[in-house]
Amino acid sequence: MIEPLMNLPGNVVGFRATGNVTREDFEQVVLPEVERLVAKTGKLNYLLILDTPLKEFTFGAWMQDVLLGIKHLTQWNRAAIITDSAGLQHFTRIFSALMPGAFRGFDKLDIDVAVDWVSEKSDDTKGKMDFNG
């Protein structure tokens, strides 16, 4: 399941993934918010809190995520992935190699730092996990 995060800066869309994540989650929750933000700001600042193992993402959800990235290829600006999972490094490396924009991983304890970074409030990388190396 994917739920939108509330109370983020106006130039950011954010989501929390828990349990089983499906294609419908992306179509019904993520895409409308992404479309709204890109129409409003002309760019995509995206925050994702992963509170689910990667195995809980269905193939359809992964494909929808890839299509989302391709569809908004030129609008990607910043993406913050918040997780305590070291296994996410592999996924983020593959995804970030295909995408323009800056992608950074943050520990769950550093969510405030991640929000400041993805909203372009700061360039602080405290708590950053380097997924681009």
Side-chain angles (χ1 to χ4, degrees), residues 46-64:
Y46 183 90
L47 183 132
L48 178 62
I49 300 174
L50 281 176
D51 279 336
T52 189
L54 291 180
K55 68 180 181 179
E56 295 296 331
F57 279 72
T58 67
F59 180 73
W62 283 116
M63 290 309 299
Q64 189 67 33

Side-chain angles (χ1 to χ4, degrees), residues 26 46 48 50 54 57 61-63 65-66 81 83 85-99 103 131-132:
F26 284 97
Y46 183 90
L48 178 62
L50 281 176
L54 291 180
F57 279 72
W62 283 116
M63 290 309 299
D65 196 25
V66 169
I81 309 299
T83 182
S85 169
L88 184 63
Q89 292 180 0
H90 180 69
F91 165 74
T92 304
R93 277 192 191 114
I94 292 169
F95 194 65
S96 64
L98 302 172
M99 303 299 296
F103 287 73
F131 291 160
N132 292 314

Side-chain angles (χ1 to χ4, degrees), residues 60-80:
W62 283 116
M63 290 309 299
Q64 189 67 33
D65 196 25
V66 169
L67 293 175
L68 166 69
I70 293 169
K71 184 174 181 181
H72 294 285
L73 194 63
T74 60
Q75 286 89 9
W76 278 102
N77 185 49
R78 289 187 176 192

Side-chain angles (χ1 to χ4, degrees), residues 2-5 12-16 21-40 43-48 60-73 75-76 95 99:
I2 295 182
E3 303 170 300
L5 297 174
V12 175
V13 291
F15 307 93
R16 178 182 308 274
V21 177
T22 67
R23 178 184 187 129
E24 288 77 21
D25 290 324
F26 284 97
E27 291 174 345
Q28 297 171 8
V29 179
V30 176
L31 286 177
E33 289 298 311
V34 166
E35 295 286 346
R36 180 194 57 76
L37 181 67
V38 171
K40 176 181 165 186
K43 61 185 172 181
L44 181 55
N45 290 330
Y46 183 90
L47 183 132
L48 178 62
W62 283 116
M63 290 309 299
Q64 189 67 33
D65 196 25
V66 169
L67 293 175
L68 166 69
I70 293 169
K71 184 174 181 181
H72 294 285
L73 194 63
Q75 286 89 9
W76 278 102
F95 194 65
M99 303 299 296

